[in-house]
Amino acid sequence: MTQVSMTVNGKPVSGDVPDNTLLVDFLRETLELTGTHVGCDTSQCGACVVHVNGRAVKACTMFALEAEGAEVATIEGEAAPDGTLSAIQQAFQDHHGLQCGFCTPGMVMSAKALLAENPKPTEAEIREYLEGNICRCTGYHNIVKAIMAASGQDVSKIAAE
Amino acid sequence: MPADGGIGASTRRREDVRFLTGQGNYTDDINIHNQAHVFFLRSDMAHGKINGIDTAAAEKMPGVIRIFTSKDFEGVGGIPCGWQVTDRFGEPMQEPKHPVLAEGFVRHVGEPIAAVVAETLQQARDAAEAIELDIEELPPVVDMAAALEEGAPKVHEDLKSNLCFDWGFVEENREAVDEAIRNAPHVTTLELRNQRLVANPMEPRVAIGVYDRAGDEHTLYTTSQNPHVIRLLMGAFVLGIPEHKLRVVSPDVGGGFGTKIFHYQEEAFCTFAAKAVNRPVKWRSSRSEAFMSDAQGRDHVTKIELALDEEGKFLAIRTNTLANMGAYLSTFAPSVPTWLHGTLMAGNYTTPLIYVNVKAVFTNTVPVDAYRGAGRPEATFQLERVIDKAARELGIDPIEIRRRNFITEFPYETPVALTYDTGNYHATMDKLEELADLKGFEARAAESKKRGKLRGLGVNCYIEACGIAPSNLVGQLGARAGLYESATVRVNATGSITVMTGSHSHGQGHETAFPQVIADMIGIDPEQVEIVHGDTAKGPMGMGTYGSRSLAVGGSAMVRAAEKVINKARKIAAHLMEASEADIELKDGQFTVKGTDKSVAWGDVTLAAYVPHNYPLEDLEPGLEETAFYDPSNFTYPAGAYACEVEVDPETGKVDVCSFHAVDDFGNIVNPMIVDGQVHGGLGQGIGQALLENCVYDDDGQLLSASYMDYAMPRADDLPFYTVDHSCQTPCTHNPLGVKGCGEAGAIGSPPTIVNAVVDALQRAGHDVTHIDMPLTPARVWAAMQG
Amino acid sequence: MYEVIITRPRSLAEAIEALGDDNATPLAGGQTLIPTMKQRLAAPEVLVSLAGIEELSGVTIGDGEITIGAATTHADVAREVAGACPALAALAGGIGDPAVRNRGTIGGSLANNDPAADYPAAVLACDATIITNDREIRSDEFFDGMFGTALFEGEIITGVRFPIPERAAYAKFDQPASRFALTGVFVAAGGGVVRVAVTGAGEDGVFRWDAAEQALAKDFSPSAIEGLSPDPSGMIGDLHGTPEYRAHLVGVMTKRAVEAALG
């Protein structure tokens, strides 16, 4: 067991974990932050995307020890303390960008990283950026639309309202 | 959009808030105090005889609580099959036992052989590696045609052959169809494969068994689309636990698409083991396990012949299909290639004579069962592909040939046992032609050509039978369960309402859409209505969600229960206003006496029901809660017309979907936003099938596409924005909401659209290509272009 | 995965010392190693994390060459060489997905030498030099068949030095599931020399396509290689494409890379 300490959603946390503990397991099992999900074991589905030091990473493909001292942001930290949804979360709800909700935390965290890098992405840029986030429910239409809307773009002309 | 948030409003989903903030409660988020973990040692060979399992060393490993093998399951039932098909000679299908843990033989890669229960998953897995297996490898059968050959190795040594059943439908039509095809002026033939798919809901399956020794009560938490059905199948057929001692909970479920309908060994195991070790036992599937333990979909090989006259009028259809069952019969597997497939072969057309032959085959592969659409995509694909081929052979426009054969009079009795209650296929096609700007295609094709791309246009129709279905009918067809749905409408004292439904939501938005219906009926705010589902302890016996049935069947049950509630409330209101019940009207949450200004609010009536001081106690019981079971009199028949345009890169064979238009007739719509989303999702999966997804075994029965590294899931950049429309509405004539179901349409209608478009693109470019089997990967399209 | 001990050295010297243990394996970005360990297909007893070693990270752009620290992530390479070598930046920006690019490193990718990885094509085409804790290895000597390299046990890559080509481009055709290269071709031209390196297609991993190099040296244009493709006999055949298809794609991707290199 090794002690690991980091800041998660602004709060300092620490725990004793076996070295082979993945960051996602530290979040889910040790901290009981179960919003970050595990949908595959080959680092492709993106349900586990969180931010480490401001960058989107797959929490299932990183050891907890590698996040020692880091600032980690998860889906649980996205809404305001009073429960008000972030602009991205609100756009996902407004545009029906989720169905079963399982991929959603990863989608929101990836969308947040994208908009931090590229505040007004085109449709093609959004689709390309989501290469590492698989959704089986929505056919992506409303996810892409929600991210465009969250970036302040007019989505009223996109087919199928 | 109605301002009151009732039927027709695109109300934002209330469930989204918990999913968007990480507060969803999926089965893997549940941890029970003192739980142990199970790891299944699974077969790495497709076929073998188990000579010995030595667990002695493994049992001594750290953390191991107990190791189970089939010996521990003597006297326990096999996993039952819920549907029996009778073959064309009147004999029942061959039905092998499907043990919880492999008994004597292993029959597919991934079959569980032993289960290690330990303190941690890691310890369980470590110990599983220390189990010594003595398994003698036997020759596997993977290919269906080979499996049916004389002398082929048998998947089940105790069965006569690998043929599960040989089904003819309608058997009485057989000779007439043969005759019509012999004498027809034109016959178009197509041989095709509807490839095997893996459903891949993003949440892998999880099961947690809990046993309370004090009360002798079992609880199973599981990722299921139908917890009541699991309770029935597992309780009655596998473990012998009566319903009142068994609770099954399916909390938030991360997608299903059919593969979470079925009862699986892992559920029975965790329930059984929790009692055996007197600890909660949790199993969590990895994605790699899911690829070899979730029931897979499709996998049909078909020859279809379409007989036509000179004008392109369809005279007869004959199909011969091999349907892969895998190594064992999953819960509803036999129904998929038969009753959910053969009955749909009329499509939207007036073909008078149809004969469908299906041979279901056992192979040493993972069991196959329903996947989004289940049988109907297979029917639609072959029918719409052969029509497209026939149109080209006869030189008739693909839309025109369809229009010449559309059913226009309803109700319409097909030659394959269904009665379509309503529809308007010309209307959906008209709408499609307008929306998709088909007239502008040539200009777009010319523009593509300038960029070196080959553009193609694909158009087709589909019909599906949804809202399954009348219990007495499916019972005659071999179902071993009823297919009604239930609802309890519980009105609380202050007027708010809790609805317990047997339908299960795993992405469909019931928690938002169902209240819209109740709100409309009573005239209250939908926020006053809460939906409870997914727990056998909370609602009446229900049949769950699949086959696009939730609103059509579950919603109808809820309407019936709400009607009973309203009738009783009306009586109470009449009493309170000292009026005749016949004069009472309910509108906007107010009961009024017709022709007077007397009124009493919904909340006052409900309060009176629970505080019955001024109440007709001599005529009515207090309280306001009603249950209804709804068993539909027919299927519903959503139908539509789809078009897409693709560009093929002639150098690489890569296909890009440029546009996709889907015009669906779903009857009445409760929440258009959710319906759009359901169609989008179906299209994504259907386009995935057409272009990307393929579950492949090698000749040894090893699964080659065993992870997302080789099984191509559709990503955002594989798909376009879709245009969907459901303005053509012919309401269902036999359910109270006039709804038809929308969950599977996209997955049913889209694969032939894509293939039609790619074939169109290649033919326009001068390639003599009449068909390419799905998925239309770049490699396959390129190879087709090479001739 | 199996139990493992993770050490986090702060300097290269500490890392080298830690890797002297026969049971130790370097952990770079972990984007291949961790999934492999999850599948229990790799079972290192000790992992030596290279992530915290500052001297291994970063990009230096010098006169005619770019030196990239081994622990530099794909995302950082994509960002920092965008001006100096757009072809290399585009390659780095197309590896995996954004989250993978934020962890995966150039050193890890090269040491692994996956036959469908992107970086080996750039290294081989640009004739880059692999710098290790012990020596410098020319690209032609570095790659040694699928997953094989010239690295010794305990030797680690510390950086890669790329001569900046006059003209270069990478054309990649994705394997539809993994999004690794089904076939990727990096073309680099400079000083009258053209080098064409192919990844994803060859049974022995990344390789130089001599016939195309010769044709392009005479005439650096797409037409020079029109109709040219390598012998399918050395190509990979799997469920995503036959050897013939891959051989064909090598030709097409080379042509597209040349077109892109010409701007």
Side-chain angles (χ1 to χ4, degrees):
Chain A
M1 301 287 254
T2 303
Q3 194 188 51
V4 61
S5 303
M6 62 188 82
T7 304
V8 176
N9 300 329
K11 267 191 263 175
V13 297
S14 66
D16 287 320
V17 296
D19 284 15
N20 65 2
T21 304
L22 298 167
L23 177 59
V24 71
D25 292 329
F26 181 70
L27 295 170
R28 288 182 55 82
E29 310 289 334
T30 308
L31 304 182
E32 297 184 348
L33 293 172
T34 56
T36 303
H37 295 153
V38 179
C40 78
D41 43 17
T42 51
S43 197
Q44 276 163 316
C45 81
C48 66
V49 169
V50 300
H51 291 199
V52 173
N53 294 331
R55 288 190 172 192
V57 302
K58 291 185 168 171
C60 79
T61 314
M62 177 172 181
F63 292 107
L65 293 183
E66 293 182 281
E68 172 68 34
E71 299 271 348
V72 176
T74 73
I75 190 68
E76 285 89 348
E78 286 308 292
D82 71 354
T84 305
L85 299 180
S86 72
I88 293 171
Q89 289 171 317
Q90 190 60 57
F92 269 69
Q93 188 188 26
D94 290 346
H95 298 282
H96 191 26
L98 64 153
Q99 290 181 26
C100 82
F102 196 79
C103 77
T104 306
M107 285 287 178
V108 170
M109 298 311 287
S110 280
K112 184 183 178 187
L114 167 62
L115 296 188
E117 268 176 42
N118 182 354
K120 285 261 186 296
T122 62
E123 177 200 342
E125 286 169 342
I126 294 170
R127 289 184 186 277
E128 193 189 336
Y129 198 88
L130 296 180
E131 186 171 356
N133 291 83
I134 301 177
C135 169
R136 193 56 153 166
C137 293
T138 64
Y140 301 99
H141 182 109
N142 285 337
I143 292 175
V144 177
K145 191 170 162 182
I147 296 171
M148 292 181 85
S151 70
Q153 303 183 64
D154 178 11
V155 295
S156 62
K157 289 196 177 63
I158 292 169
E161 188 51 65
Chain B
M1 168 169 154
D4 61 3
I7 290 174
S10 281
T11 306
R12 291 180 307 179
R13 299 198 326 167
R14 57 176 75 173
E15 45 272 77
D16 288 357
V17 176
R18 68 176 187 271
F19 296 142
L20 281 163
T21 55
Q23 304 305 311
N25 184 36
Y26 299 90
T27 310
D28 193 30
D29 300 340
I30 296 170
N31 290 300
I32 311 284
H33 177 66
N34 200 33
Q35 76 190 5
H37 298 264
V38 60
F39 180 81
F40 291 96
L41 177 62
R42 296 178 184 276
S43 178
D44 62 2
M45 68 178 80
H47 197 193
K49 183 168 185 296
I50 302 173
N51 291 324
I53 304 173
D54 183 353
T55 59
E59 275 160 19
K60 297 194 186 81
M61 301 273 290
V64 172
I65 297 166
R66 187 167 158 187
I67 299 176
F68 295 79
T69 65
S70 66
K71 280 201 194 105
D72 298 288
F73 286 83
E74 282 168 11
V76 172
I79 302 298
C81 178
W83 202 295
Q84 178 178 288
V85 165
T86 303
D87 76 7
R88 63 195 189 88
F89 311 104
E91 295 295 315
M93 66 188 187
Q94 295 202 84
E95 190 173 355
K97 184 180 179 188
H98 189 186
V100 175
L101 295 173
E103 268 178 23
F105 294 87
V106 290
R107 298 187 173 90
H108 67 83
V109 166
E111 180 168 8
I113 299 168
V116 182
V117 177
E119 297 294 337
T120 69
L121 183 56
Q122 165 133 339
Q123 288 170 333
R125 196 168 175 183
D126 288 345
E129 288 182 0
I131 295 174
E132 289 185 30
L133 295 176
D134 175 5
I135 301 183
E136 179 188 337
E137 194 153 5
L138 297 173
V141 282
V142 179
D143 178 72
M144 286 191 281
L148 293 181
E149 278 170 15
E150 195 69 30
K154 285 198 287 184
V155 176
H156 294 275
E157 289 66 13
D158 52 333
L159 298 186
K160 288 179 287 187
S161 67
N162 293 319
L163 180 67
C164 177
F165 57 77
D166 178 352
W167 185 74
F169 188 68
V170 175
E171 195 58 24
E172 293 71 40
N173 290 351
R174 187 185 181 93
E175 283 177 18
V177 168
D178 288 350
E179 175 81 13
I181 288 178
R182 247 193 321 272
N183 298 330
H186 187 90
V187 177
T188 298
T189 303
L190 188 59
E191 292 183 43
L192 51 84
R193 170 181 285 273
N194 202 298
Q195 84 271 31
R196 187 182 286 227
L197 301 175
V198 181
N200 272 311
M202 292 319 297
E203 178 204 32
R205 288 189 296 119
V206 181
I208 311 170
V210 182
Y211 179 65
D212 170 21
R213 188 167 274 183
D216 188 28
E217 285 169 351
H218 300 261
T219 303
L220 171 67
Y221 297 88
T222 183
T223 47
S224 176
Q225 299 174 219
N226 33 227
H228 284 93
V229 175
I230 302 305
R231 184 180 65 166
L232 177 66
L233 293 175
M234 184 177 79
F237 296 98
V238 187
L239 300 178
I241 305 169
E243 285 96 326
H244 68 295
K245 292 293 184 188
L246 175 58
R247 174 183 173 203
V248 179
V249 184
S250 298
D252 287 329
V253 172
F257 314 114
T259 204
K260 290 177 181 169
I261 298 171
F262 321 122
H263 175 41
Y264 287 97
Q265 293 111 303
E266 295 88 354
E267 295 171 320
F269 178 85
C270 289
T271 307
F272 179 88
K275 182 173 181 181
V277 303
N278 200 26
R279 296 264 302 265
V281 174
K282 182 173 188 174
W283 171 68
R284 173 172 68 205
S285 174
S286 67
R287 180 61 59 188
S288 297
E289 266 183 295
F291 268 98
M292 53 187 179
S293 66
D294 290 3
Q296 301 176 344
R298 315 277 195 262
D299 206 351
H300 286 194
V301 173
T302 294
K303 178 182 177 186
I304 181 168
E305 294 156 284
L306 171 65
L308 310 91
D309 69 13
E310 289 85 352
E311 273 70 56
K313 198 83 178 130
F314 305 159
L315 303 174
I317 290 169
R318 179 169 62 198
T319 75
N320 286 280
T321 289
L322 298 181
N324 207 332
M325 296 286 102
Y328 297 99
L329 292 178
S330 176
T331 310
F332 289 117
S335 70
V336 175
T338 53
W339 302 106
L340 293 172
H341 161 253
T343 53
L344 272 298
M345 284 312 304
N348 312 49
Y349 314 105
T350 55
T351 317
L353 284 165
I354 297 173
Y355 178 73
V356 176
N357 180 260
V358 177
K359 293 185 177 69
V361 186
F362 291 113
T363 59
N364 292 110
T365 60
V366 173
V368 179
D369 206 327
Y371 165 63
R372 200 171 195 166
R376 292 152 289 175
E378 293 91 323
T380 303
F381 185 71
Q382 50 184 292
L383 182 62
E384 294 295 329
R385 284 291 302 125
V386 81
I387 291 171
D388 220 62
K389 189 175 179 218
R392 291 173 189 284
E393 287 174 359
L394 293 174
I396 304 172
D397 176 81
I399 294 177
E400 175 58 25
I401 199 170
R402 288 174 167 87
R403 285 188 184 276
R404 283 183 199 173
N405 289 282
F406 274 159
I407 295 161
T408 53
E409 309 266 322
F410 295 89
Y412 177 81
E413 210 170 306
T414 73
V416 276
L418 297 179
T419 303
Y420 300 166
D421 61 337
T422 181
N424 187 346
Y425 309 143
H426 282 294
T428 47
M429 187 60 90
D430 291 345
K431 187 74 191 175
L432 180 75
E433 290 199 55
E434 171 203 328
L435 269 184
D437 179 28
L438 299 187
K439 290 195 182 74
F441 173 77
E442 294 296 342
R444 292 188 292 275
E447 193 276 328
S448 297
K449 196 173 174 186
K450 272 190 213 156
R451 287 182 289 107
K453 298 290 171 66
L454 316 178
R455 200 175 185 98
L457 169 67
V459 178
N460 63 258
C461 300
Y462 78 90
I463 186 161
E464 52 171 332
C466 291
I468 55 175
S471 293
N472 58 5
L473 177 61
V474 298
Q476 288 167 29
L477 304 182
R480 290 164 170 163
L483 284 170
Y484 51 84
E485 194 48 273
S486 69
T488 294
V489 173
R490 174 178 297 163
V491 183
N492 304 307
T494 60
S496 69
I497 294 173
T498 309
V499 178
M500 276 67 76
T501 171
S503 295
H504 186 274
S505 184
H506 32 279
Q508 295 89 341
H510 298 170
E511 292 170 36
T512 300
F514 280 27
Q516 291 180 241
V517 173
I518 297 286
D520 227 43
M521 292 176 74
I522 299 172
I524 55 174
D525 184 343
E527 291 296 322
Q528 291 278 91
V529 185
E530 194 76 16
I531 302 299
V532 174
H533 64 97
D535 186 343
T536 60
K538 291 184 179 165
M541 177 70 184
M543 293 309 295
T545 288
Y546 39 82
S548 306
R549 71 194 300 272
S550 289
L551 195 60
V553 190
S556 295
M558 181 180 70
V559 169
R560 290 284 186 252
E563 284 169 355
K564 291 189 198 179
V565 157
I566 290 168
N567 283 341
K568 184 173 177 183
R570 194 192 307 276
K571 289 190 174 79
I572 301 169
H575 173 86
L576 292 176
M577 294 188 282
E578 296 171 341
S580 160
E581 191 194 326
D583 293 333
I584 303 294
E585 287 178 336
L586 172 60
K587 195 168 176 256
D588 296 334
Q590 295 283 328
F591 289 96
T592 54
V593 181
K594 223 184 282 177
T596 73
D597 57 0
K598 277 203 234 176
S599 77
V600 57
W602 168 256
D604 294 329
V605 172
T606 63
L607 192 65
Y610 288 94
V611 189
H613 296 164
N614 175 18
Y615 192 85
L617 283 168
E618 60 283 6
D619 299 323
L620 284 180
E621 293 171 19
L624 197 51
E625 172 169 332
E626 299 287 349
T627 294
F629 284 73
Y630 177 79
D631 204 320
S633 60
N634 192 357
F635 293 92
T636 62
Y637 299 97
Y642 286 8
C644 80
E645 292 184 20
V646 299
E647 276 184 353
V648 178
D649 179 340
E651 289 186 326
T652 64
K654 187 168 191 305
V655 176
D656 284 323
V657 182
C658 309
S659 66
F660 203 108
H661 291 80
V663 176
D664 296 287
D665 174 0
F666 294 135
N668 294 334
I669 305 279
V670 171
N671 184 317
M673 175 192 81
I674 290 175
V675 170
D676 283 354
Q678 289 293 306
V679 177
H680 295 159
L683 294 176
Q685 281 174 292
I687 297 170
Q689 170 167 25
L691 296 179
L692 295 160
E693 299 178 40
N694 199 11
C695 178
V696 185
Y697 293 85
D698 69 9
D699 294 341
D700 295 326
Q702 293 294 326
L703 182 58
L704 298 180
S705 51
S707 78
Y708 293 151
M709 295 296 280
D710 286 301
Y711 188 91
M713 291 286 279
R715 320 275 175 101
D717 60 358
D718 292 316
L719 298 168
F721 278 132
Y722 321 101
T723 304
V724 304
D725 179 276
H726 24 74
S727 60
C728 300
Q729 297 181 353
T730 59
C732 170
T733 58
H734 55 79
N735 67 41
L737 289 166
V739 297
K740 295 184 175 180
C742 62
E744 295 163 294
I748 294 169
S750 57
T753 324
I754 297 280
V755 180
N756 288 348
V758 173
V759 170
D760 182 63
L762 298 186
Q763 291 204 354
R764 283 170 191 271
H767 294 283
D768 182 23
V769 174
T770 54
H771 180 70
I772 306 172
D773 269 332
M774 300 186 291
L776 274 60
T777 60
R780 285 189 180 179
V781 174
W782 178 78
M785 286 190 287
Q786 307 314 301
Chain C
M1 66 178 71
Y2 297 105
E3 283 181 16
V4 68
I5 294 165
I6 299 177
T7 63
R8 294 162 47 83
R10 289 283 143 200
S11 70
L12 183 56
E14 278 176 43
I16 299 301
E17 193 187 331
L19 285 165
D21 177 346
D22 285 350
N23 299 317
T25 299
L27 170 65
Q31 301 302 286
T32 299
L33 181 58
I34 293 175
T36 311
M37 289 173 69
K38 281 197 269 186
Q39 304 282 343
R40 297 195 162 199
L41 298 173
E45 288 178 26
V46 177
L47 286 177
V48 179
S49 170
L50 307 178
I53 303 172
E54 267 179 37
E55 59 203 281
L56 289 182
S57 208
V59 175
T60 313
I61 297 171
D63 186 20
E65 61 183 33
I66 298 169
T67 306
I68 301 172
T72 312
T73 63
H74 310 321
D76 284 341
V77 173
R79 198 166 18 243
E80 295 189 29
V81 307
C85 185
L88 185 59
L91 175 144
I95 298 172
D97 58 59
V100 166
R101 292 196 285 275
N102 281 333
R103 295 289 304 164
T105 68
I106 187 170
S109 171
L110 291 171
N112 189 46
N113 191 22
D114 187 299
D118 297 301
Y119 269 128
V123 165
L124 194 55
C126 295
D127 195 14
T129 299
I130 309 292
I131 307 161
T132 78
N133 55 306
D134 196 41
R135 57 185 171 142
E136 297 198 345
I137 311 171
R138 284 284 294 272
S139 64
D140 286 317
E141 274 77 53
F142 182 76
F143 301 105
D144 187 17
M146 276 195 187
F147 299 105
T149 68
L151 294 171
F152 300 122
E153 283 290 310
E155 182 179 20
I156 61 167
I157 300 174
T158 58
V160 188
R161 192 166 62 240
F162 286 88
I164 299 176
E166 287 166 23
R167 284 200 284 249
Y170 180 58
K172 174 181 178 180
F173 194 82
D174 286 356
Q175 194 258 55
S178 68
R179 304 297 185 94
F180 274 66
L182 189 68
T183 293
V185 179
F186 200 107
V187 172
V193 177
V194 179
R195 288 170 67 109
V196 176
V198 179
T199 188
E203 280 185 327
D204 294 324
V206 66
F207 68 93
R208 284 175 64 188
W209 184 20
D210 300 335
E213 290 184 358
Q214 286 158 21
L216 289 167
K218 285 190 204 124
D219 171 17
F220 193 78
S221 76
S223 59
I225 46 163
E226 192 67 52
L228 208 58
S229 66
D231 183 351
S233 65
M235 300 289 127
I236 296 169
D238 61 15
L239 68 150
H240 305 290
T242 58
E244 290 72 23
Y245 181 60
R246 279 190 169 82
H248 168 76
L249 278 184
V250 171
V252 174
M253 291 298 117
T254 304
K255 192 179 79 177
R256 290 185 182 180
V258 171
E259 279 165 1
L262 290 167

